[in-house]
Amino acid sequence: MEFTAKVIADFLKGEIEGDPDVVINNVSKIEEGEKGTLTFLANPKYTEYAYTTKASIIIVNKSFVPKKKLKSTLIKVDDAYQAIASLLQLRESMKPKKVGIHPKSWMEKTSKAGKDLFLGAYTYVGENCIIGKNVRIYPHVFIGDNVVIGDNCTFYPGVKIYHECKIGNDCILHGGVVIGSDGFGFAPDTAKDYVKVPQIGNVVLKDRVEIGSNTTIDRAMIGSTIIEKGVKLDNLIMVAHNVVIGENTVVAAQSGIAGSTKIGRECMFGGQVGIVGHLEVADKVMIAAQSGIPSSIKNEGAILQGSPAFPIMDYQKSYVYFRKLPSMVARIDELEKKLKELGQDN
Amino acid sequence: MEFTAKVIADFLKGEIEGDPDVVINNVSKIEEGEKGTLTFLANPKYTEYAYTTKASIIIVNKSFVPKKKLKSTLIKVDDAYQAIASLLQLRESMKPKKVGIHPKSWMEKTSKAGKDLFLGAYTYVGENCIIGKNVRIYPHVFIGDNVVIGDNCTFYPGVKIYHECKIGNDCILHGGVVIGSDGFGFAPDTAKDYVKVPQIGNVVLKDRVEIGSNTTIDRAMIGSTIIEKGVKLDNLIMVAHNVVIGENTVVAAQSGIAGSTKIGRECMFGGQVGIVGHLEVADKVMIAAQSGIPSSIKNEGAILQGSPAFPIMDYQKSYVYFRKLPSMVARIDELEKKLKELGQDN
Amino acid sequence: MEFTAKVIADFLKGEIEGDPDVVINNVSKIEEGEKGTLTFLANPKYTEYAYTTKASIIIVNKSFVPKKKLKSTLIKVDDAYQAIASLLQLRESMKPKKVGIHPKSWMEKTSKAGKDLFLGAYTYVGENCIIGKNVRIYPHVFIGDNVVIGDNCTFYPGVKIYHECKIGNDCILHGGVVIGSDGFGFAPDTAKDYVKVPQIGNVVLKDRVEIGSNTTIDRAMIGSTIIEKGVKLDNLIMVAHNVVIGENTVVAAQSGIAGSTKIGRECMFGGQVGIVGHLEVADKVMIAAQSGIPSSIKNEGAILQGSPAFPIMDYQKSYVYFRKLPSMVARIDELEKKLKELGQDN
């Protein structure tokens, strides 16, 4: 399908600079843009490519003022990244959706699903599950007994949802995600062995949660591990038992949150962050990649770095001096030498 | 089912403070305790909740002396965490166990299993496997050729055990665990390419090992990667080829142990710890989360932090000064200035 | 099967020191070597075992000069590690390969595969896939629609390849690997919620790529995430959307590379390394384990450590002084005290 710049600008409520009749039929990255494609410029790191791309249309922020002549037609919008998201969503919504029950899938008779279910090959649904409408479950998914699933969810291949967990509406779980495995709980006994503490709780995912591939969320020992509305977790993240993650918090890949910690809403954590158990983290806290959080964070909106972490500006100042430690030592050596000389002079 | 405080106290050999006839039929977290539930207090962080919880019974350590009036009945025991573990185990043991061979599972004819096998849907067991008695294998599990499995094991959905590996008795493997994938071994050849070094060894798990979801344990290049009796590994851990982990060692999530390293017994590692290959780590060593171990640890019971790690008290002292580096530099600046003035005075 | 030292030395073009007629029928680790086995010595850490091993033959580097009397026959070669790799490859090539279509597997009728396909139980191949010859696909593998796979690939159990991805020749994917899950892309909307940015690109693996278990590679938002020829990725690694990894680069376990970063060729990264998004890393760069890379690396062959990372020799010097910070502070205290005394003296 082909679209003109005019049609796209109308859809986005954007302004055209250039040829309103230029036509595109595909989307490209700005550095690889070809004639007949639409691209976008949202990250200023890529501004130079705006002058060299062969893409026919570039969606840009209104604030963008070209410093050189452009070959492409611009569509100016309030937020270029949001605009490309809307266009790609439109494109996705036009693709046919998978529906139907694959003959090589198995749902126990005590379970029920709403209309427009897609159940892929070799997927297994246990006893007494309740599945909403318009749910797409790819091959090799495991859904344990007594699981409840809302509407419009998508579970990609190999997702595993243990018994008794609850998934809200509009959730997306990627390949290999494990929801509801046992929390890591052991009590030492007299013989230096550990005895397992049974984990009798569950995991609750609220609406619009998306979870990246091979991320694991353990069930609560007692009660629920809770992922609130709109939370986005990247790949290979570990969420331990009884953790609560607040609304619209976003966590990058390979981060880990230890048991019973409560994370606020609208937080943003970089990759490979580690958070100790039994803490409370305030709302809107931002944590730099690879940082470690050893104690509760009470200040809303705090921005932290380091392992253990402290305020990011302070961390970065200290780190500048860490790099200069050899010269600091030389200065101390020199001071000691001079002081000794001075002392002897007196 | 309902139980009185008296029945529970008798089972736990504990002492009642309060109403021996109070009745519970469920378990709760202390901060969410409701009438008719039993809870416990093991972590002092939660002591305040003992005075506000609505739980009818609280299991506490004998050392707990209330500082305010309590609404709940106490059961005092030597170790509250162990006591709740016993109660939950009792509860688990009363639940019916899954048994039977699902019609949509496949075991090659050359393999054998002991009595009371549960084989879930779409599980595959390869050639010449020997499976003990009372083993529960959930859906989508892969068991390669020539695998040997002991008694009373539980493998959750999507566990993968490559050919020739050996699993002891009473082992629990959680969703997505991979046992026996190839070690990461490549030899550079003349053309800057790498040639694969075939990994012809296996993985051996001894008795009572529990492994968290999506953790991976690579097979030995030659010989065996060995996980000794009672070891507990959390989620998303990487154990490389030819590693040995000693008895009752406990490792938290997302830690990694590189090839051929030998870990002692009764060690405890925090999350996201990294250990270099070809090292030896003594018994009872404790490593703080996110630490990196670059060389062998010979001192039994050493407690380490940092990347690279050194003794934890020293690390924490150094880290206090790391945070103060900007002020240290200011002091050096000031010293230099004053010394210069003094020198000029003379 | 049995082999004499002479036969093995001829195959490896090596030199014998000892008995050319000694016979072996198995391979062992040098520290566990038994009579009738062949072992090797490549890592100098294990040199002492050369004098105590009971292995009948040891493959060593030509540079190895025994300092004590040896019980074993030596075969001296240019590179002992490469030599053992060749021998193990020979051994592997003699083992019968799995072939045939398991009755409990499913390939959609619109997909095609070349000769000598092995398709394991419960594996699913979607619509319009093209699979090369001599491909071995173990049980529980998911291959999405429109996937293209080259010749001689091996996919271990539970591999998941999303729609439209392309896999080259001679690739090996280990258990639980996820190729082509959605990149982590969300645009904030006005209501503090995030809207998903559809990820319409794919993942392209070139020839001879090997990927360790439970590693995840996300599909590009637009265009392709590209893993070039000969790249080796260890277990539990995260490769984000639109990343490019250059030829023959090797990455150790649990490292993560954020979106749109371009890695050069022949790089070597230790375990648990984190690399920020939208960077460029030059060829032959080496990064120490647990390091964090916050900005582009322009120097070919740079060797870095730290979080954030800088040149490794500088890092290690700074770290030595980090450990001595308490004594540095004591020296500053002392300087201030003495200077004060001197000042008062004047």
Side-chain angles (χ1 to χ4, degrees), chain B residues 44-105:
Chain B
K45 279 198 179 186
Y46 294 83
T47 303
E48 273 311 304
Y49 292 112
Y51 308 109
T52 57
T53 188
K54 292 177 190 149
S56 301
I57 301 176
I58 314 176
I59 298 177
V60 296
N61 292 327
K62 279 192 175 149
S63 57
F64 175 69
V65 180
K67 290 183 182 153
K68 304 182 201 170
K69 202 174 150 52
L70 291 162
K71 287 163 230 155
S72 317
T73 292
L74 298 184
I75 298 179
K76 293 186 152 189
V77 295
D78 287 335
D79 183 323
Y81 192 54
Q82 239 180 67
I84 189 81
S86 310
L87 284 180
L88 294 178
Q89 280 170 349
L90 183 68
R91 186 181 183 279
E92 284 295 283
S93 69
M94 288 170 356
K95 282 168 68 173
K97 288 234 180 337
K98 298 225 172 225
V99 282
I101 311 293
H102 196 282
K104 302 292 177 188
S105 64

Coordinates of all heavy atoms in Angstrom, one line a residue, chain B residues 44-105:
Chain B
P44 N 13.4 -8.7 61.8 CA 13.1 -7.6 62.7 C 12.5 -6.4 62.0 O 11.9 -5.5 62.6 CB 14.4 -7.3 63.4 CG 15.4 -8.2 62.7 CD 14.7 -9.2 61.9
K45 N 12.8 -6.2 60.7 CA 12.2 -5.1 60.0 C 10.7 -5.0 60.1 O 10.2 -3.9 59.8 CB 12.6 -5.2 58.5 CG 14.0 -4.8 58.1 CD 14.1 -4.5 56.6 CE 15.5 -4.0 56.2 NZ 15.6 -3.6 54.9
Y46 N 10.1 -6.1 60.3 CA 8.6 -6.1 60.3 C 8.0 -6.1 61.7 O 6.8 -6.3 61.8 CB 8.1 -7.4 59.5 CG 8.5 -7.3 58.0 CD1 9.8 -7.6 57.6 CD2 7.6 -6.8 57.1 CE1 10.2 -7.5 56.3 CE2 8.0 -6.7 55.8 CZ 9.3 -7.1 55.4 OH 9.6 -6.9 54.0
T47 N 8.8 -5.9 62.7 CA 8.4 -5.9 64.1 C 7.1 -5.0 64.4 O 6.2 -5.4 65.1 CB 9.5 -5.6 65.1 OG1 10.6 -6.5 64.8 CG2 9.0 -5.8 66.5
E48 N 7.2 -3.8 63.8 CA 6.1 -2.9 64.1 C 4.7 -3.5 63.7 O 3.7 -3.2 64.3 CB 6.3 -1.6 63.3 CG 7.1 -0.6 64.1 CD 6.6 -0.4 65.5 OE1 5.4 0.0 65.7 OE2 7.4 -0.6 66.5
Y49 N 4.7 -4.3 62.6 CA 3.4 -4.9 62.2 C 2.8 -5.9 63.2 O 1.6 -6.2 63.2 CB 3.6 -5.6 60.9 CG 3.9 -4.7 59.7 CD1 5.1 -4.7 59.1 CD2 2.9 -3.8 59.2 CE1 5.4 -3.8 58.0 CE2 3.2 -2.9 58.2 CZ 4.4 -2.9 57.6 OH 4.7 -2.1 56.6
A50 N 3.7 -6.4 64.1 CA 3.1 -7.3 65.2 C 2.1 -6.6 66.0 O 1.1 -7.3 66.5 CB 4.3 -7.8 66.0
Y51 N 2.2 -5.3 66.1 CA 1.2 -4.6 67.0 C 0.0 -4.1 66.2 O -1.0 -3.7 66.8 CB 1.9 -3.4 67.6 CG 3.2 -3.8 68.3 CD1 4.5 -3.4 67.8 CD2 3.2 -4.6 69.5 CE1 5.6 -3.8 68.4 CE2 4.3 -5.0 70.1 CZ 5.6 -4.6 69.6 OH 6.7 -5.1 70.2
T52 N 0.0 -4.2 64.9 CA -1.1 -3.7 64.1 C -1.8 -4.8 63.3 O -2.9 -4.6 62.9 CB -0.6 -2.6 63.2 OG1 0.4 -3.2 62.3 CG2 -0.1 -1.4 63.9
T53 N -1.1 -5.9 63.1 CA -1.7 -7.0 62.3 C -3.0 -7.5 62.9 O -3.2 -7.5 64.1 CB -0.7 -8.2 62.1 OG1 -1.3 -9.0 61.1 CG2 -0.5 -8.9 63.4
K54 N -3.9 -7.9 62.0 CA -5.2 -8.5 62.4 C -5.1 -10.0 62.5 O -6.1 -10.7 62.7 CB -6.3 -8.0 61.5 CG -6.7 -6.5 61.7 CD -7.8 -6.1 60.7 CE -7.9 -4.6 60.7 NZ -8.3 -4.1 59.4
A55 N -4.0 -10.5 62.1 CA -3.8 -12.0 62.1 C -4.2 -12.6 63.5 O -3.8 -11.9 64.5 CB -2.4 -12.4 61.7
S56 N -4.8 -13.7 63.6 CA -5.2 -14.2 64.9 C -4.0 -14.8 65.6 O -4.0 -14.8 66.9 CB -6.3 -15.3 64.7 OG -7.4 -14.7 64.1
I57 N -3.0 -15.4 64.9 CA -1.9 -16.0 65.5 C -0.6 -15.5 64.9 O -0.5 -15.3 63.6 CB -1.9 -17.5 65.4 CG1 -3.2 -18.1 66.0 CG2 -0.6 -18.2 66.0 CD1 -3.3 -19.6 65.8
I58 N 0.4 -15.1 65.7 CA 1.7 -14.8 65.1 C 2.7 -15.8 65.7 O 2.8 -15.9 66.9 CB 2.2 -13.4 65.5 CG1 1.1 -12.3 65.3 CG2 3.4 -13.0 64.7 CD1 1.5 -10.9 65.8
I59 N 3.5 -16.4 64.8 CA 4.6 -17.3 65.3 C 5.8 -16.3 65.4 O 6.1 -15.6 64.5 CB 4.9 -18.4 64.2 CG1 3.7 -19.3 64.1 CG2 6.1 -19.2 64.6 CD1 3.8 -20.3 63.1
V60 N 6.4 -16.3 66.6 CA 7.6 -15.5 66.8 C 8.7 -16.3 67.4 O 8.6 -17.4 67.9 CB 7.2 -14.3 67.8 CG1 6.2 -13.4 67.2 CG2 6.8 -14.9 69.2
N61 N 9.9 -15.7 67.4 CA 11.1 -16.3 68.1 C 10.9 -16.1 69.6 O 10.3 -15.1 70.0 CB 12.4 -15.5 67.6 CG 12.7 -15.8 66.2 OD1 12.4 -16.9 65.7 ND2 13.3 -14.8 65.5
K62 N 11.5 -17.0 70.3 CA 11.4 -17.0 71.8 C 11.9 -15.7 72.3 O 11.5 -15.2 73.3 CB 12.1 -18.2 72.4 CG 11.3 -19.4 72.4 CD 11.9 -20.5 73.2 CE 10.9 -21.7 73.2 NZ 11.5 -23.0 73.3
S63 N 12.9 -15.1 71.6 CA 13.6 -13.9 72.1 C 12.6 -12.7 71.9 O 13.0 -11.6 72.5 CB 14.8 -13.6 71.2 OG 14.5 -13.6 69.9
F64 N 11.5 -12.8 71.3 CA 10.6 -11.6 71.0 C 9.9 -11.3 72.3 O 9.1 -12.1 72.9 CB 9.7 -12.0 69.9 CG 8.6 -10.9 69.7 CD1 9.0 -9.6 69.2 CD2 7.3 -11.1 70.0 CE1 8.1 -8.6 69.0 CE2 6.3 -10.1 69.8 CZ 6.7 -8.8 69.3
V65 N 10.1 -10.1 72.8 CA 9.4 -9.5 73.9 C 8.6 -8.3 73.5 O 9.1 -7.3 73.1 CB 10.4 -9.1 75.1 CG1 9.6 -8.6 76.3 CG2 11.3 -10.3 75.4
P66 N 7.2 -8.5 73.5 CA 6.4 -7.4 73.0 C 6.6 -6.1 73.8 O 6.7 -6.2 75.0 CB 5.0 -7.9 73.2 CG 5.1 -9.3 73.5 CD 6.4 -9.6 74.0
K67 N 6.7 -4.9 73.1 CA 6.8 -3.7 73.8 C 5.5 -2.9 73.9 O 5.4 -1.9 74.6 CB 7.8 -2.8 73.1 CG 9.2 -3.4 73.2 CD 10.3 -2.6 72.6 CE 11.6 -3.2 72.8 NZ 12.6 -2.9 71.7
K68 N 4.5 -3.5 73.2 CA 3.1 -2.9 73.3 C 2.2 -4.0 73.5 O 2.5 -5.2 73.3 CB 2.8 -2.1 72.1 CG 3.7 -1.0 71.7 CD 3.2 -0.3 70.4 CE 4.4 0.4 69.7 NZ 4.0 0.9 68.4
K69 N 0.9 -3.6 73.7 CA -0.1 -4.7 73.8 C -0.4 -5.3 72.5 O -0.4 -4.6 71.5 CB -1.4 -4.0 74.4 CG -2.3 -5.0 75.0 CD -3.5 -4.4 75.7 CE -4.7 -5.3 75.7 NZ -4.4 -6.7 76.2
L70 N -0.6 -6.6 72.4 CA -0.9 -7.3 71.2 C -2.3 -7.8 71.1 O -2.9 -8.2 72.1 CB 0.0 -8.5 71.1 CG 1.5 -8.3 71.0 CD1 2.3 -9.5 71.4 CD2 1.8 -7.9 69.5
K71 N -2.9 -7.7 69.9 CA -4.2 -8.3 69.7 C -4.2 -9.7 69.4 O -5.1 -10.5 69.5 CB -4.9 -7.5 68.6 CG -5.3 -6.1 68.9 CD -5.6 -5.3 67.6 CE -4.9 -4.0 67.6 NZ -4.6 -3.4 66.4
S72 N -3.0 -10.2 68.9 CA -2.9 -11.6 68.4 C -2.4 -12.5 69.5 O -1.7 -12.1 70.4 CB -1.9 -11.6 67.2 OG -2.2 -10.5 66.3
T73 N -2.7 -13.8 69.3 CA -2.1 -14.8 70.1 C -0.7 -15.1 69.6 O -0.5 -15.3 68.4 CB -2.9 -16.1 70.1 OG1 -4.2 -15.8 70.8 CG2 -2.3 -17.3 70.7
L74 N 0.3 -15.2 70.4 CA 1.7 -15.6 70.0 C 1.9 -17.1 70.2 O 1.5 -17.7 71.2 CB 2.7 -14.8 70.9 CG 2.7 -13.3 70.8 CD1 3.9 -12.7 71.6 CD2 2.8 -12.8 69.3
I75 N 2.7 -17.6 69.3 CA 3.3 -19.0 69.5 C 4.8 -18.8 69.4 O 5.3 -18.3 68.4 CB 2.8 -20.0 68.5 CG1 1.3 -20.2 68.6 CG2 3.5 -21.3 68.7 CD1 0.7 -21.2 67.6
K76 N 5.4 -19.0 70.6 CA 6.9 -18.7 70.6 C 7.7 -20.0 70.3 O 7.4 -21.1 71.0 CB 7.3 -18.2 72.0 CG 6.7 -16.8 72.3 CD 7.2 -16.2 73.6 CE 7.2 -14.7 73.5 NZ 7.9 -14.1 74.7
V77 N 8.6 -19.9 69.4 CA 9.4 -21.1 69.0 C 10.9 -20.7 68.9 O 11.2 -19.5 69.0 CB 8.9 -21.6 67.6 CG1 7.5 -22.1 67.6 CG2 9.1 -20.5 66.5
D78 N 11.7 -21.7 68.7 CA 13.2 -21.4 68.6 C 13.5 -20.6 67.4 O 14.3 -19.7 67.4 CB 14.0 -22.7 68.6 CG 14.0 -23.4 70.0 OD1 13.8 -22.6 71.0 OD2 14.1 -24.6 70.0
D79 N 12.8 -20.9 66.3 CA 13.2 -20.3 65.0 C 11.9 -20.1 64.2 O 11.3 -21.1 63.7 CB 14.2 -21.1 64.2 CG 14.6 -20.4 63.0 OD1 13.8 -19.8 62.3 OD2 15.8 -20.6 62.6
A80 N 11.4 -18.9 64.2 CA 10.0 -18.6 63.6 C 10.0 -18.9 62.1 O 9.0 -19.4 61.6 CB 9.6 -17.2 63.8
Y81 N 11.1 -18.7 61.4 CA 11.2 -18.9 60.0 C 11.1 -20.4 59.7 O 10.4 -20.9 58.8 CB 12.4 -18.3 59.4 CG 12.4 -18.2 57.9 CD1 11.4 -17.6 57.2 CD2 13.5 -18.7 57.1 CE1 11.4 -17.5 55.8 CE2 13.6 -18.6 55.8 CZ 12.5 -18.0 55.1 OH 12.6 -18.0 53.7
Q82 N 11.9 -21.2 60.5 CA 11.8 -22.6 60.3 C 10.5 -23.2 60.7 O 10.0 -24.1 60.0 CB 12.8 -23.3 61.3 CG 13.9 -24.1 60.6 CD 14.8 -24.7 61.7 OE1 14.5 -25.5 62.5 NE2 16.1 -24.2 61.6
A83 N 9.8 -22.6 61.7 CA 8.5 -23.1 62.1 C 7.5 -22.9 61.0 O 6.7 -23.8 60.7 CB 8.1 -22.4 63.4
I84 N 7.5 -21.7 60.4 CA 6.5 -21.4 59.3 C 6.8 -22.3 58.1 O 5.9 -22.9 57.5 CB 6.5 -19.9 58.9 CG1 5.3 -19.7 58.0 CG2 7.7 -19.5 58.2 CD1 4.0 -19.5 58.6
A85 N 8.1 -22.6 57.9 CA 8.5 -23.6 56.8 C 7.8 -24.9 57.1 O 7.3 -25.5 56.2 CB 10.0 -23.7 56.7
S86 N 7.9 -25.4 58.3 CA 7.4 -26.7 58.7 C 5.9 -26.7 58.5 O 5.3 -27.7 57.9 CB 7.6 -27.0 60.2 OG 8.9 -26.9 60.5
L87 N 5.2 -25.6 58.9 CA 3.7 -25.6 58.7 C 3.3 -25.6 57.2 O 2.4 -26.3 56.8 CB 3.2 -24.3 59.4 CG 3.1 -24.3 60.9 CD1 2.5 -23.0 61.4 CD2 2.2 -25.5 61.4
L88 N 4.1 -24.8 56.4 CA 3.8 -24.7 55.0 C 4.0 -26.1 54.3 O 3.3 -26.5 53.4 CB 4.5 -23.6 54.3 CG 4.1 -22.2 54.8 CD1 5.0 -21.1 54.1 CD2 2.7 -21.9 54.5
Q89 N 5.1 -26.7 54.8 CA 5.4 -28.1 54.2 C 4.3 -29.1 54.5 O 3.9 -29.8 53.7 CB 6.7 -28.6 54.8 CG 7.9 -28.0 54.0 CD 9.2 -28.3 54.7 OE1 9.2 -28.8 55.8 NE2 10.3 -28.0 54.0
L90 N 3.8 -29.0 55.7 CA 2.7 -29.8 56.1 C 1.5 -29.6 55.2 O 0.8 -30.5 54.7 CB 2.3 -29.5 57.6 CG 1.2 -30.4 58.2 CD1 1.6 -31.8 58.3 CD2 0.7 -29.9 59.6
R91 N 1.2 -28.3 55.0 CA 0.1 -27.9 54.1 C 0.3 -28.4 52.7 O -0.6 -29.0 52.1 CB 0.0 -26.4 54.1 CG -1.1 -25.7 53.4 CD -1.0 -24.2 53.5 NE -2.1 -23.5 52.8 CZ -2.2 -23.2 51.6 NH1 -1.3 -23.7 50.7 NH2 -3.2 -22.5 51.1
E92 N 1.5 -28.3 52.2 CA 1.8 -28.8 50.8 C 1.6 -30.3 50.7 O 1.1 -30.8 49.8 CB 3.3 -28.5 50.4 CG 3.5 -27.0 50.1 CD 2.7 -26.6 48.8 OE1 3.2 -26.9 47.7 OE2 1.7 -25.9 48.9
S93 N 2.1 -31.0 51.8 CA 2.0 -32.5 51.8 C 0.6 -33.0 51.7 O 0.4 -34.1 51.4 CB 2.8 -33.0 53.0 OG 2.1 -32.8 54.1
M94 N -0.3 -32.1 52.2 CA -1.7 -32.6 52.2 C -2.4 -32.4 50.9 O -3.5 -32.8 50.6 CB -2.5 -31.9 53.3 CG -2.0 -32.4 54.7 SD -2.6 -31.5 56.2 CE -3.5 -30.1 55.5
K95 N -1.8 -31.5 50.0 CA -2.4 -31.3 48.6 C -2.2 -32.6 47.8 O -1.2 -33.2 47.8 CB -1.7 -30.1 48.0 CG -2.2 -28.8 48.5 CD -1.4 -27.6 48.0 CE -1.5 -27.3 46.6 NZ -0.8 -26.1 46.2
P96 N -3.2 -32.9 46.9 CA -3.0 -34.1 46.0 C -1.9 -33.8 45.1 O -1.7 -32.7 44.5 CB -4.4 -34.2 45.3 CG -5.0 -32.8 45.4 CD -4.5 -32.2 46.7
K97 N -1.1 -34.8 44.8 CA 0.0 -34.7 43.9 C -0.4 -35.1 42.5 O -1.2 -36.0 42.3 CB 1.2 -35.7 44.3 CG 1.9 -35.3 45.5 CD 3.4 -35.2 45.3 CE 4.2 -34.8 46.5 NZ 3.4 -34.1 47.5
K98 N 0.2 -34.5 41.5 CA -0.1 -34.8 40.1 C 0.5 -36.2 39.8 O 1.7 -36.4 40.1 CB 0.5 -33.8 39.1 CG -0.1 -32.4 39.3 CD -0.4 -31.8 37.9 CE -1.2 -30.5 38.1 NZ -2.3 -30.4 37.2
V99 N -0.3 -37.1 39.2 CA 0.3 -38.4 38.8 C -0.3 -38.7 37.4 O -1.3 -38.1 37.0 CB 0.0 -39.6 39.7 CG1 0.9 -39.5 40.9 CG2 -1.4 -39.6 40.1
G100 N 0.3 -39.7 36.8 CA -0.2 -40.2 35.5 C 0.5 -39.7 34.3 O 1.2 -38.6 34.4
I101 N 0.3 -40.4 33.2 CA 1.0 -40.1 32.0 C 0.0 -39.4 31.0 O -1.0 -40.0 30.7 CB 1.5 -41.4 31.2 CG1 2.2 -42.3 32.2 CG2 2.3 -41.1 30.0 CD1 3.5 -41.8 32.7
H102 N 0.3 -38.1 30.7 CA -0.6 -37.4 29.8 C -0.6 -38.1 28.4 O 0.5 -38.4 27.9 CB -0.2 -35.9 29.7 CG -1.3 -35.1 29.2 ND1 -1.6 -35.0 27.8 CD2 -2.2 -34.2 29.8 CE1 -2.6 -34.2 27.6 NE2 -2.9 -33.7 28.8
P103 N -1.8 -38.2 27.8 CA -1.8 -38.9 26.5 C -0.9 -38.2 25.4 O -0.4 -38.8 24.5 CB -3.2 -38.8 26.0 CG -3.9 -37.8 27.0 CD -3.1 -37.9 28.2
K104 N -0.7 -36.9 25.6 CA 0.1 -36.1 24.7 C 1.5 -35.9 25.2 O 2.0 -34.8 25.4 CB -0.5 -34.7 24.4 CG -1.9 -34.8 23.8 CD -1.9 -35.3 22.4 CE -3.3 -35.4 21.8 NZ -3.3 -36.1 20.5
S105 N 2.2 -37.0 25.7 CA 3.6 -36.9 26.1 C 4.2 -38.1 25.4 O 3.6 -39.0 24.8 CB 3.7 -37.1 27.6 OG 3.2 -38.4 28.0

